[in-house]
Amino acid sequence: MSVISIHSNVRDYTVYFQDDCSFINKFERFSQRLFVIDENVWQLHGKGCLASIPKENLMLFTVTEERKGLKSVMEIYDRLMEKSAKKNMTLISIGGGILQDVTGFVASTLYRGLNWIFVPTTLLAQSDSCIGSKTSLNYKRFKNILGTFYPPAEVHIQTTFLRTLSENDFLSGLGEVVKLHIMGGRESTDSLILSLPAVLCREPDALLLAISTSLSIKLNYIEGDEYDTGRRNLLNFGHCFGHALETVSNYAIPHGQAVVVGMIFANLAALKRKWISYTTFDSHLNSLLLKSLSIPIHEKYLKWDKILDCMRHDKKRVGNGLVMIMMRENFSFEKVVDFSEDELRSGIEELKGVLNV
Ligand SMILES: NC(=O)c1ccc[n+]([C@@H]2O[C@H](COP(=O)([O-])OP(=O)(O)OC[C@H]3O[C@@H](n4cnc5c(N)ncnc54)[C@H](O)[C@@H]3O)[C@@H](O)[C@H]2O)c1
Ligand SMILES: [Zn+2]
């Protein structure tokens, strides 16, 4: 079993890459414990990997983006208080990014911090969200605007869970994996280009390597900037345009797929500003980005006025220009704050050509 140790201002914590499911039994060492488990995960793995979990310590949680709010947080507080939770209670969360966000918020606020363990079960949660300390809730129609910084004490990664993930959810996570490998530099990008077919087939060794590489690269960006005031911002590569596309499509385009399109857009812009060569643009596009995009992007979502409107509301925007994170030929990343409306308009036209729409 390999591990990654992470330093955080809240507490240092460890990611364990588990070879089998026996780690679940070891949670018995916590005499006061509540498992909060994504209902879908329980349906699929309750008789398998999770079979040893005692029913009296179990709370099932139905995961939807609408439920990522304070009401769900209060439901979990209620359940914990019914169990007379004290500061010595351990909360063990098993599920994807939504369950992580809701239970992480609970863990960080009840008694100002419970012992919290997270077992991520989606590709997105295993390769990206499980580290970095953010907990986020939606408030009314505003996404991720409430939150805290609170890392789990332990993260346990077991790729067996990924076998049952729907294709859409798998591809959503893949977008972040691709983003992190590109952000890691030439070597990690080239290695993902080679292993992509095996990753797409969910071959366990290829997944494990892609996940551990993604986390190591993310760690490099968050170390020293846990509170996201500088370098960590760069992890929004592909997200400036991607978020807008996701919103315009009314979430018909899964997050990770929107991020892939966002990276294609950012690279088109970088090519135009001569930040990257045509060779680099072409190799990322054809060997990695288009191969990771498996849903058609309808032209009706690529309306520049609607995308502009969303990008103007980007929470990271401070000045008059639009925000765009772009790469340079040496794989360094920069946040551009003067991206113009003209660049957006012409970029979208070029994007349509690249995507064949
Ligand atoms: N806190 C952070 O740092 C951070 C970072 C990125 C994203 N997020 C948040 O994460 C959320 C998205 O997370 P996600 O992509 O993991 O989605 P998710 O948690 O919504 O899970 C996606 C779907 O997969 C199901 N599922 C989970 N594990 C499964 C498994 N092993 N097999 C079959 N089905 C399974 C879930 O029930 C759900 O229907 C968003 O709300 C996003 O804002 C948080
Ligand atoms: Zn993302």
Side-chain angles (χ1 to χ4, degrees):
M1 179 180 61
S2 59
V3 301
I4 301 181
S5 303
I6 302 180
H7 172 68
S8 151
N9 295 313
V10 182
R11 72 159 91 74
D12 293 352
Y13 60 108
T14 310
V15 180
Y16 299 88
F17 294 89
Q18 298 289 355
D19 302 322
D20 54 37
C21 296
S22 58
F23 69 98
I24 300 278
N25 305 332
K26 304 211 175 100
F27 297 142
E28 279 169 23
R29 70 186 188 278
F30 304 110
S31 58
Q32 298 292 311
R33 63 191 185 280
L34 179 72
F35 290 85
V36 182
I37 304 183
D38 178 325
E39 197 161 17
N40 288 330
V41 174
W42 182 252
Q43 296 303 335
L44 293 159
H45 300 274
K47 292 196 171 70
C49 202
L50 306 178
S52 63
I53 294 175
K55 309 291 171 289
E56 64 276 15
N57 293 339
L58 173 65
M59 176 177 183
L60 296 184
F61 184 88
T62 309
V63 162
T64 61
E65 195 62 42
E66 292 71 45
R67 279 182 39 82
K68 208 178 89 167
L70 288 167
K71 195 161 165 270
S72 301
V73 166
M74 288 191 282
E75 283 170 23
I76 302 174
Y77 288 153
D78 284 345
R79 181 63 198 270
L80 282 162
M81 297 318 286
E82 271 166 30
K83 288 182 72 66
S84 311
K86 300 273 161 23
K87 180 86 184 151
N88 66 351
M89 181 69 143
T90 294
L91 182 64
I92 303 158
S93 315
I94 307 182
I98 294 188
L99 190 97
Q100 174 191 346
D101 273 341
V102 174
T103 54
F105 190 92
V106 169
S108 73
T109 46
L110 193 63
Y111 298 115
R112 291 183 197 81
L114 294 179
N115 187 31
W116 178 40
I117 291 173
F118 181 41
V119 181
T121 61
T122 61
L123 182 58
L124 180 133
Q126 293 195 349
S127 62
D128 179 5
S129 67
C130 69
I131 67 166
S133 321
K134 285 188 185 174
T135 79
S136 308
L137 298 178
N138 303 330
Y139 181 69
K140 297 192 171 158
R141 64 188 173 83
F142 304 102
K143 244 184 93 73
N144 291 338
I145 64 163
L146 305 179
T148 57
F149 286 98
Y150 195 74
E154 298 171 15
V155 176
H156 296 268
I157 291 183
Q158 165 55 269
T159 56
T160 312
F161 287 112
L162 304 181
R163 279 195 214 138
T164 55
L165 209 55
S166 72
E167 195 58 16
N168 251 2
D169 288 315
F170 185 80
L171 291 169
S172 216
L174 186 71
E176 306 289 358
V177 169
V178 170
K179 178 199 79 176
L180 287 165
H181 279 73
I182 294 176
M183 295 191 73
R186 194 176 303 278
E187 205 178 307
S188 51
T189 305
D190 288 348
S191 106
L192 187 63
I193 288 174
L194 289 178
S195 65
L196 195 65
V199 170
L200 287 170
C201 296
R202 306 191 198 184
E203 209 248 272
D205 289 345
L207 278 177
L208 193 62
L209 181 64
I211 290 165
S212 60
T213 307
S214 296
L215 291 179
S216 304
I217 294 166
K218 178 167 177 180
L219 185 58
N220 187 261
Y221 280 87
I222 56 182
E223 256 174 352
D225 186 23
E226 190 174 15
Y227 298 139
D228 204 357
T229 55
R231 185 171 153 77
R232 185 171 178 173
N233 256 228
L234 298 174
L235 290 170
N236 276 312
F237 178 50
H239 284 64
C240 312
F241 188 88
H243 271 148
L245 184 62
E246 217 183 345
T247 311
V248 172
S249 80
N250 204 11
Y251 301 96
I253 302 176
H255 176 72
Q257 295 282 280
V259 170
V260 172
V261 178
M263 289 188 279
I264 297 177
F265 181 87
N267 283 356
L268 277 165
L271 179 66
K272 196 127 190 207
R273 285 193 179 197
K274 299 195 167 54
W275 283 25
I276 55 173
S277 64
Y278 185 77
T279 315
T280 298
F281 170 80
D282 186 59
S283 107
H284 285 205
L285 179 70
N286 289 308
S287 312
L288 196 51
L289 295 169
L290 287 178
K291 288 195 168 129
S292 318
L293 187 66
S294 71
I295 59 155
I297 305 296
H298 200 284
E299 195 192 357
K300 69 182 176 199
Y301 302 140
L302 295 171
K303 296 275 179 271
W304 94 278
D305 50 340
K306 291 197 177 140
I307 292 198
L308 174 65
D309 194 45
C310 293
M311 286 184 66
R312 279 197 182 127
H313 289 100
D314 189 325
K315 20 176 207 211
K316 301 267 177 336
R317 187 169 168 239
V318 280
N320 286 327
L322 302 170
V323 177
M324 185 65 55
I325 302 202
M326 299 192 318
M327 67 175 279
R328 291 206 182 254
E329 189 64 16
N330 65 356
F331 285 77
S332 66
F333 288 77
E334 282 175 42
K335 180 173 163 180
V336 169
V337 293
D338 63 349
F339 196 75
S340 71
E341 295 182 9
D342 280 347
E343 279 177 293
L344 179 67
R345 190 197 289 259
S346 61
I348 290 176
E349 287 314 309
E350 283 163 24
L351 180 66
K352 284 182 190 166
V354 166
L355 296 176
N356 243 332
V357 295

